[in-house]
Amino acid sequence: MSLSPIVLDVTGTDIQGESARIREQGPITLVELPGGVTAWSVTDQAVLKTLLADARVSKDPRQHWSAFIDGEITEAWPLLPWVAVENMFTAYGADHRRLRKLVSPAFTHRRTTAMRERIEVIVTELLDELAALPAGSVADLRSLYAYPVPIRVISGLMGVPEHLDAAIHKCVDGFFDGSLTAEESMANFLEMYERVGELVAYRRDNPGDDITSAMIAARDDEDGSQLADKELVETLMLVINAGHETTVNLLDQAIVALLTHPEQLAAVVAEQASWNDVIEETLRYQSPVAHLPLRYAVEDIEIDGFTIPKGEAILASYAGASRDPRVHGATADSFDVLRDTKEQHVAFGHGAHHCLGAPLARLEAAIALPALFERFPNLRLATDATELTPLGSFISNGHTSLPVRLGGE
């Protein structure tokens, strides 16, 4: 295990290559985040799952991160919005259970499955717009398809009114932009906080069958408590950001994987493999969230022959753990929709903080991907895959654009 931390490339130029280099140092490896902040990156899937389910691992920096408690983490740190929010994302123990109990009813199976018809309408509208492009033109499938599908879905699910749509979308983009300075990142956070606060105010006056209205009305059955205003706004921010970015990258990466592995696309078209196989293997092969900040050791934790000291930060390295060769063998770095172990990934987390929106993300992909390839069977990349530009983030794993030719021209 390396004694000197590996300095993470915050621009995410080569997420998988860097994950492999981290893994070479051991299952738990010290890495350096922006601002010289260190954390223990966990790329071993079994170790990571154990830690994510361990009550001695917290997401609350105010209680359990020594650097935060001691004032070493200030507003000058560009990742502060990721750890300083007060919502389900950073709650610990009983507080997290209380918040999840209040939020979970907004993500019922009924509410998710009821979105199918709306997703199908959105997908059809977007495919019609793509089909109307001039013959021979290059289309950016990220901006014209992978991006608008989930943002329209989550906006509808959240009950975002038209007058707030564009402003909230802009803030979502900024939240995952690794190039923002600390000042820009905080300004974006505050802007989103204000806009989501306006969403809450609007839905208090105009309640509907949406997640925002459901969360405003949610009460604990035992004590009658509700989400406090700050908890409500910041939880909604979490839902909007996570519900959008993960699915954008899932669609983006699935399209790239299929277009660069035509034999596997052919197997899916021939029904030798399913679209569910594509979705799960994409989640494993290119985890939409590469590294997720942060967790903290509540006490000294001994695991896999190593001790993570009390009060130190832990980085869940989903991209690395989902390609763990101990789980997936020598072909872990290969895309294979017929892989037996493809569902063994951590793309949506694990344990108490497992993503509530995972079923919705899978549903969106299960509708959007087959519809795209059915409408455009001759779809192909308009550039070499090696020329696709990463997003510029070590957290979000996708491309800045996805230029394609739709075929038939």
Side-chain angles (χ1 to χ4, degrees), residues 119-120 123-124 127 141 145-146 149-150 247-259 265 268-269 274-283 335 337 361-377 379 402:
I119 296 168
E120 290 172 345
V123 164
T124 299
L127 291 175
L141 274 191
Y145 195 65
V149 168
T247 310
V248 174
N249 291 338
L250 169 56
L251 295 176
D252 172 338
Q253 296 286 11
I255 293 167
V256 172
L258 289 173
L259 293 182
L265 175 58
V268 176
V269 171
S274 70
W275 286 102
N276 180 65
D277 291 333
V278 172
I279 292 166
E280 296 307 317
E281 178 63 354
T282 301
L283 289 166
F335 181 74
V337 295
R362 287 184 166 103
L363 177 62
E364 291 177 65
I367 295 170
L369 290 172
L372 173 69
F373 285 94
E374 181 178 349
R375 179 71 73 93
F376 303 109
L379 184 70
L402 185 49

Side-chain angles (χ1 to χ4, degrees), residues 56-135:
R56 297 172 299 167
V57 175
S58 168
K59 294 198 76 178
D60 188 347
R62 293 169 180 81
Q63 292 189 65
H64 302 120
W65 189 16
S66 297
F68 193 95
I69 296 167
D70 295 342
E72 297 172 26
I73 305 300
T74 69
E75 289 190 0
W77 195 46
L79 295 180
L80 186 66
W82 281 91
V83 303
V85 291
E86 295 183 51
N87 59 22
M88 198 169 62
F89 184 75
T90 57
Y92 172 70
D95 194 33
H96 176 258
R97 289 190 291 274
R98 177 184 69 86
L99 291 172
R100 194 169 178 103
K101 185 177 180 181
L102 286 167
V103 172
S104 293
F107 290 88
T108 61
H109 177 71
R110 179 197 66 80
R111 191 181 295 277
T112 297
T113 54
M115 289 298 295
R116 173 176 287 277
E117 184 175 347
R118 176 59 182 152
I119 296 168
E120 290 172 345
V121 169
I122 291 170
V123 164
T124 299
E125 289 175 350
L126 292 169
L127 291 175
D128 287 345
E129 292 171 11
L130 286 169
L133 294 174

Side-chain angles (χ1 to χ4, degrees), residues 26 46 57 109 144 154 189 206 243 249-250 345 355 364-365 378 392 404:
V57 175
H109 177 71
L144 297 178
I154 200 68
F189 173 83
N206 304 275
N249 291 338
L250 169 56
H345 60 73
C355 179
E364 291 177 65
N378 297 316
V404 300

Side-chain angles (χ1 to χ4, degrees), residues 88 100 107 242-243 246 347-359 361-362:
M88 198 169 62
R100 194 169 178 103
F107 290 88
T246 299
F348 290 117
H350 183 73
H353 284 270
H354 183 270
C355 179
L356 280 171
R362 287 184 166 103

Side-chain angles (χ1 to χ4, degrees), residues 337-352:
V337 295
L338 296 177
R339 180 187 304 277
D340 291 337
T341 58
K342 57 183 167 291
E343 294 184 1
Q344 295 181 42
H345 60 73
V346 285
F348 290 117
H350 183 73

Side-chain angles (χ1 to χ4, degrees), residues 1-7 25 29-32 38 40:
M1 189 171 296
S2 175
L3 296 178
S4 300
I6 295 175
V7 180
Q25 300 301 316
T29 305
L30 195 64
V31 297
E32 183 178 310
T38 57
W40 296 100

Side-chain angles (χ1 to χ4, degrees), residues 143-158:
S143 66
L144 297 178
Y145 195 65
Y147 182 96
V149 168
I151 201 66
R152 291 188 189 182
V153 170
I154 200 68
S155 292
L157 196 61
M158 301 293 293

